[in-house]
Amino acid sequence: MKQQEVFKAMANPTRRAILKRLQGGPLTAGEIGEAFDITSASLSHHFAVLKHADLVRTERRGQHIVYSLNSTVFEDLARMLMDLFPANRRV
Amino acid sequence: MKQQEVFKAMANPTRRAILKRLQGGPLTAGEIGEAFDITSASLSHHFAVLKHADLVRTERRGQHIVYSLNSTVFEDLARMLMDLFPANRRV
DNA sequence: TAGATATTTAGATATGTTTCTAAGTATTAC
DNA sequence: GTAATACTTAGAAACATATCTAAATATCTA
């Protein structure tokens, strides 16, 4: 996990909202964008950050690009956080 | 949990290193600072961000200010992340 | 092939973050 | 009270991020 990239990606509210939208399953860039009052260019920038952090995966489907969550990175991140606080650490 | 503040705080590598140093137990600002090649003023700014996110607690001890981790926020954050990925969500 | 649709890339601007130096506040010790 | 130590606050400079418009790329359909 690229820790720095992941935390940087999560630090923006629009990006967290994008991830939330993807909870329900894969969506195209356009479908995700419907929920935001922002240009598709800006959205695209956010997608790039999320992808670089490996938080989402992409797949082209015709004209569309379909985004989906990459659950394993969330797991890694959650585990990392659990390890960070001393109380009931397992490692 | 102030989600935005917490993620913003975690997005900086120096701040994550500060948190890591505090794993071993409470430390004064000065003790924490020893590990970093940065002015105390800059450190102090980072402390303020961590405090604002409620990730650390402070207590004055004479001339010193003692910092310690606030575990509950880490728990909240870890839980939030677990909830964010759909696989084995409990809520 | 030309046009329409979906998305990304490039370049610019505004805003936010990190860091510094200098000055301020709080506490201890004389 | 004055000086020393520990830390924070203020203000400025450098750098990074978020957003926009305009242009580019990729795919589909006629």
Side-chain angles (χ1 to χ4, degrees):
Chain A
M1 182 183 58
K2 303 175 222 155
Q3 216 178 90
Q4 180 55 34
E5 305 307 319
V6 172
F7 278 114
K8 200 177 74 180
M10 298 288 299
N12 179 283
T14 299
R15 287 194 289 265
R16 289 200 305 280
I18 290 171
L19 294 173
K20 209 146 209 174
R21 281 217 99 199
L22 289 173
Q23 277 186 345
L27 292 171
T28 68
E31 286 167 339
I32 296 168
E34 284 165 16
F36 300 96
D37 191 16
I38 196 180
T39 64
S40 57
S42 299
L43 245 311
S44 195
H45 160 70
H46 287 306
F47 293 148
V49 175
L50 290 169
K51 209 175 158 185
H52 188 229
D54 208 26
L55 284 163
V56 300
R57 292 276 162 74
T58 62
E59 183 197 348
R60 180 172 276 277
R61 188 122 72 203
Q63 288 159 287
H64 303 268
I65 293 184
V66 180
Y67 284 87
S68 52
L69 288 184
N70 174 15
S71 303
T72 64
V73 174
F74 286 98
E75 275 187 43
D76 291 352
L77 186 57
R79 214 184 314 281
M80 195 233 96
L81 285 168
M82 295 303 278
D83 288 353
L84 196 57
F85 80 91
N88 42 342
R89 204 149 100 238
R90 280 159 299 149
V91 185
Chain B
M1 181 182 62
K2 301 175 222 157
Q3 215 177 91
Q4 180 56 34
E5 305 307 320
V6 172
F7 278 114
K8 199 176 73 180
M10 299 287 300
N12 178 284
T14 299
R15 288 195 287 267
R16 289 200 305 280
I18 290 170
L19 293 173
K20 210 148 208 173
R21 280 216 98 199
L22 289 174
Q23 278 187 345
L27 292 171
T28 67
E31 287 167 339
I32 296 169
E34 285 166 14
F36 301 96
D37 192 16
I38 196 180
T39 64
S40 57
S42 298
L43 246 310
S44 194
H45 160 70
H46 286 306
F47 292 148
V49 175
L50 289 169
K51 210 174 157 185
H52 188 229
D54 209 26
L55 284 162
V56 299
R57 292 276 161 75
T58 63
E59 182 197 349
R60 179 174 276 277
R61 189 123 71 203
Q63 289 159 287
H64 302 268
I65 292 183
V66 180
Y67 284 87
S68 53
L69 288 184
N70 174 15
S71 303
T72 64
V73 174
F74 286 99
E75 274 187 43
D76 291 351
L77 186 57
R79 214 184 315 280
M80 195 232 97
L81 284 168
M82 296 302 279
D83 288 351
L84 195 58
F85 80 90
N88 41 339
R89 207 148 99 236
R90 280 158 301 149
V91 184

